[in-house]
Amino acid sequence: MSERLIYLSVPGLRPKDVLDVSLTPTLHAWAAAGALAVMVPSFPCVTSSVQASSWTGSTPGEHGIIANGVYHRERREVEFWVERNGVIGGDQVWDRISAAGKSSAVWHAQNIKDAGADYIVTPEPIHHPDGRTESWCYSKPEGLYERMLRDLGHFPLQHYWGPLSSIESSNWIIAAARWLIAEHDPHFHYIYLPHLDYASQRFGPDSAQAIDALRQLDALLAEFNGFLASTQSVKDAAVIVASEYAMTDVSSVIYPNIELRRRGMLEVRDSAAGALIDFERSRAFAMVDHQCAHIYVRAGDVEEIASVFREMDGVAFVCVGDERSRAGVGHARAGDIVLASRDD
């Protein structure tokens, strides 16, 4: 039995993509040789929440990552993309692996800095005072990224997110994983390959660009599979490919904070960056993250504010009180009211 496990996290991948042998022959072959199952993601279906759920085997209501952001009630600040691992509650997979005397590696995950994995690489761009952004990565152990630079060059940050996102970021991540296998050979790899997500978000999940991104991904995995087959330590490695979530086409948008402001529940203040939410004076505001919104109520009746959204077209469900726990987000960091939009 192999002592190596490679977990490929591929957000945006759908079962029908794997079933199309003409589109994804490598993924199709892996599924045919092993198993293909439909997974139900934890709610909300956003990067930080789903990744924390996959590492802990628990819900956001238990591990506390209730969105890609958090509202710090004590200082009235919203912070998105909290990078440190200490915000996740509960044991994580690398802790169990370490306790068993094995080693693990994590590539480009969220909330991962300072985690218990032996090897970590994740983007940490340097922002200079003159406005320039320099590509750099946080790494563990210290100096790991500098060693990789000599053979791989810088991680192509400009192709990781934003308008230039492309397969180039996934190419580098796979090349780096291969480098680490050759140098240190950890027992477990968690590898995040994000570019399907960006193609689907920018152009739609069934667009020509998204289909092309699928073909590019499968070609990259075919090359990686060849490397695994030809490398003694990992030739019998088990490979899991899991999608964090899938995209759907949308036809409309909802603006919870605009609705709260229209009803006199949200106040703003002028700044050089435009109108910003005044957290101190607002009765309520929404921290919105894709299809989910956490509404924090400072003053007033929670049910009164919830009723505003129960009647709003496009809202799939509204949770207050114990309903949040049943939705899997019953945590102290969650909003007093939690909304989810309809699929479209």
Side-chain angles (χ1 to χ4, degrees):
M1 181 177 178
S2 173
E3 289 194 338
R4 300 294 184 272
L5 174 61
I6 296 170
Y7 185 108
L8 301 170
S9 179
V10 186
L13 186 66
R14 303 167 296 180
K16 72 175 187 178
D17 300 328
V18 180
L19 292 171
D20 189 343
V21 66
S22 65
L23 183 61
T24 54
T26 305
L27 285 168
H28 186 275
W30 280 351
L36 176 65
V38 176
M39 297 169 60
V40 178
S42 55
F43 173 80
C45 310
V46 294
T47 303
S48 296
S49 302
V50 176
Q51 288 186 359
S53 292
S54 71
W55 303 339
T56 62
S58 61
T59 67
E62 296 166 303
H63 59 62
I65 308 302
I66 50 85
N68 287 317
V70 61
Y71 175 54
H72 300 282
R73 294 175 190 259
E74 70 283 0
R75 62 177 191 259
R76 292 177 180 162
E77 291 180 0
V78 170
E79 181 183 14
F80 268 72
W81 304 113
V82 181
E83 298 172 329
R84 297 295 169 182
N85 189 250
V87 297
I88 301 175
D91 286 346
Q92 298 172 39
V93 62
W94 4 92
D95 304 320
R96 298 292 184 91
I97 290 171
S98 179
K102 308 295 183 182
S103 56
S104 59
V106 191
W107 299 94
H108 288 59
Q110 299 299 326
N111 303 116
I112 199 61
K113 293 179 181 178
D114 307 321
D118 299 273
Y119 306 97
I120 301 172
V121 178
T122 197
E124 189 178 58
I126 300 170
H127 301 287
H128 294 282
D130 62 3
R132 291 182 300 112
T133 298
E134 180 182 350
S135 181
W136 195 259
C137 285
Y138 165 97
S139 66
K140 178 187 177 183
E142 187 175 353
L144 177 64
Y145 182 63
E146 288 89 331
R147 288 177 54 209
M148 296 168 61
L149 274 176
R150 294 194 289 267
D151 296 325
L152 303 175
H154 275 295
F155 172 67
L157 181 68
Q158 72 274 24
H159 296 298
Y160 187 53
W161 53 58
L164 298 179
S165 58
S166 72
I167 191 68
E168 291 307 313
S169 60
S170 295
N171 285 343
W172 191 95
I173 293 169
I174 287 292
R178 291 175 56 167
W179 182 93
L180 192 69
I181 289 169
E183 292 288 324
H184 298 287
D185 192 24
H187 296 89
F188 174 74
H189 284 266
Y190 179 94
I191 304 174
Y192 179 57
L193 301 175
H195 86 289
L196 287 188
D197 176 300
Y198 299 126
S200 294
Q201 285 200 54
R202 288 158 62 195
F203 304 108
D206 293 307
S207 64
Q209 294 90 338
I211 298 303
D212 188 50
L214 271 168
R215 291 195 174 95
Q216 291 177 329
L217 171 72
D218 196 80
L220 176 60
L221 295 182
E223 183 180 338
F224 187 49
N225 192 42
F227 165 79
L228 297 177
S230 63
T231 304
Q232 183 62 33
S233 66
V234 289
K235 69 176 184 178
D236 296 319
V239 178
I240 296 174
V241 182
S243 177
E244 295 180 3
Y245 44 76
M247 306 290 179
T248 59
D249 286 315
V250 297
S251 58
S252 60
V253 63
I254 303 169
Y255 298 103
N257 281 320
I258 290 177
E259 184 62 23
L260 289 170
R261 186 181 183 189
R262 188 179 71 83
R263 292 172 178 263
M265 298 174 179
L266 181 145
E267 303 291 336
V268 300
R269 58 182 175 82
D270 293 329
S271 76
L276 300 177
I277 295 174
D278 189 323
F279 297 114
E280 186 171 356
R281 293 170 54 229
S282 295
R283 288 176 57 193
F285 79 95
M287 184 180 76
V288 181
D289 192 4
H290 296 275
Q291 91 284 10
C292 173
H294 290 265
I295 298 179
Y296 297 88
V297 179
R298 185 188 63 82
D301 182 77
V302 169
E303 188 54 45
E304 174 198 358
I305 296 171
S307 67
V308 170
F309 298 100
R310 294 189 197 280
E311 301 166 1
M312 181 177 286
D313 182 47
V315 174
F317 61 80
V318 179
C319 296
V320 298
D322 292 342
E323 294 171 335
R324 297 173 304 165
S325 295
R326 290 193 288 274
V329 286
H331 192 273
R333 292 179 185 148
D336 302 288
I337 306 164
V338 179
L339 314 178
S341 67
R342 202 171 58 205
D343 286 355
D344 66 345

